[in-house]
């Protein structure tokens, strides 16, 4: 049986992770549009800095954590497309499934806002990415302050 070992560095890093997760989850609806891209870019910058300083012990230890943080934020941002696909294909809206629609809004509204209120090249790329996930004849409307879509009434639920 392997003996468990703890260090002060691991304890401090674990405490910082838990504190960051709690802080982001508590303020997600109000600051998630800024938090998700910021976490991605900060994680990417830290990973590249730690990679450059990999001969030292601390950067070598922190590199996988910074890279994982960046990949987690990127995965969350890229999951907006599949989530929109499921919402449209299953015809989930606030009238038929208020809880699911509420969860979707809580998680993905800040991500959508970060896509829409970014500089123009990123904004147009993001809108094209999300529109790839919608069914072909779904009317997707860019209102300037958000994306709206309506599901044709002739569609059946899957």
């Amino acid at each position: 049986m392997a003996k468990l070992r703890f260090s002060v560095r691991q304890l401090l890093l674990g405490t910082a992770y838990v504190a960051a997760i709690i802080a982001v989850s508590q303020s997600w609806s109000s600051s998630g549009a800024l938090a998700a891209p910021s976490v991605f870019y900060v994680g990417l910058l830290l990973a590249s800095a730690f990679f450059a300083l990999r001969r030292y012990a601390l950067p070598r230890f922190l590199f996988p954590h910074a890279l994982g943080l960046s990949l987690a934020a990127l995965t969350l941002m890229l999951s907006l497309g599949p989530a929109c696909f499921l919402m449209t294909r299953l015809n989930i809206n606030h009238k038929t499934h208020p809880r699911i629609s509420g969860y979707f809004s809580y998680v993905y509204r800040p991500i959508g806002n970060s896509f829409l209120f970014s500089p123009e090249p990123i904004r147009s790329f993001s809108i094209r990415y999300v529109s790839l996930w919608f069914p072909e004849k779904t009317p997707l409307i860019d209102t300037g302050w958000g994306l709206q879509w309506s599901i044709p009434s002739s569609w059946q639920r899957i």
Side-chain angles (χ1 to χ4, degrees), residues 18-85:
V18 170
I21 289 170
I22 290 171
V24 168
S25 67
Q26 292 297 315
S27 63
W28 180 253
S29 61
S30 62
S31 63
L34 182 62
S38 298
V39 166
F40 171 70
Y41 289 123
V42 166
L44 198 60
L45 288 173
L46 286 176
S48 62
F50 293 153
F51 182 75
L53 300 170
R54 66 183 176 270
R55 67 178 181 208
Y56 300 107
L58 185 63
R60 193 172 45 240
F61 174 74
L62 293 176
F63 174 73
H65 300 288
L67 192 61
L69 185 67
S70 184
L71 289 175
L74 181 65
T75 302
L76 178 64
M77 290 190 291
L78 290 178
S79 69
L80 177 64
C84 288
F85 173 78

Side-chain angles (χ1 to χ4, degrees), residues 17 42 61 77 97 135 141 154:
Y17 273 156
V42 166
F61 174 74
M77 290 190 291
H97 298 89
I141 303 160
S154 62

Side-chain angles (χ1 to χ4, degrees), residues 7-8 28 48 61 74 81 91 103-104 116 124 129 137 152:
S7 70
V8 173
W28 180 253
S48 62
F61 174 74
L74 181 65
N91 196 10
Y103 293 145
F104 176 82
L116 290 173
S124 62
Y129 169 73
K137 295 182 181 181

